[in-house]
Amino acid sequence: MLVKITAVLAVVVVAILAFAATKPDSFRVERKLVIQAAPDKVFPYLEDPKKTIEWSPWEKKDPNLKKTFSGAAKGKGAVYEWDGNNDIGAGRLEITEVVPNAKVVMDLHFLRPMEGRNIAMYVVTPKDGGSEVAWSIEGPSPFLSKVMCVFMNMDKMIGGEFDKGLADLKVLVEGKGA
């Protein structure tokens, strides 16, 4: 009986690993939302890490989150480092490119719970008398990530947080009478 159970478990593990191997080598998650404000009213909340934390969904998950800001005050070269609980982990974000009122590109280096390096981006496009804000993240999917994605949906997990953050950004900006 023990041999049969071991054989079945081995087959299941091999099947999971084989299925994981078919997953893409990279990932991308993106969410968009229209905010009824001009791009120049939205953009300050995207290019300044101190203002980004006003609407970031992750800031709410750890009231004791340790934050460090360095480099430029905002825009290219601005750095935000965090160290938080298990929900937040630790990492470093550096703004690497800014197109005024249009785009912010960030190098995102996660240190824990798992190390990883990704590119995050905000793109602002005039739309419907306001601004469409697209928030995305993309990066490599090493084999361990592929195995994890067999059991969880990264688009729903990260995308859901992006939806919350963009909704809070909308309330913040539109509440300022933009």
Side-chain angles (χ1 to χ4, degrees), residues 82-175:
W82 71 93
D83 188 358
N85 62 23
N86 290 336
D87 290 332
I88 304 301
R92 180 179 193 274
L93 175 150
E94 180 174 356
I95 296 177
T96 58
E97 179 186 350
V98 173
V99 177
N101 298 323
K103 180 168 75 170
V104 177
V105 180
M106 298 154 283
D107 176 37
L108 196 49
H109 187 184
F110 296 101
L111 301 171
R112 74 176 164 75
M114 281 183 39
E115 184 168 11
R117 199 154 211 149
N118 301 296
I119 300 296
M121 188 179 322
Y122 307 119
V123 176
V124 181
T125 308
K127 185 172 185 174
D128 299 332
S131 301
E132 179 180 72
V133 179
W135 185 5
S136 65
I137 187 169
E138 59 187 46
S141 287
F143 190 70
L144 182 58
S145 293
K146 292 179 184 187
V147 172
M148 289 173 51
C149 286
V150 169
F151 301 101
M152 60 187 216
N153 183 321
M154 183 147 7
D155 186 76
K156 285 184 182 176
M157 184 177 72
I158 295 174
E161 296 300 321
F162 281 12
D163 287 334
K164 288 177 195 170
L166 289 171
D168 286 347
L169 175 63
K170 178 180 178 74
V171 168
L172 180 66
V173 173
E174 290 180 358

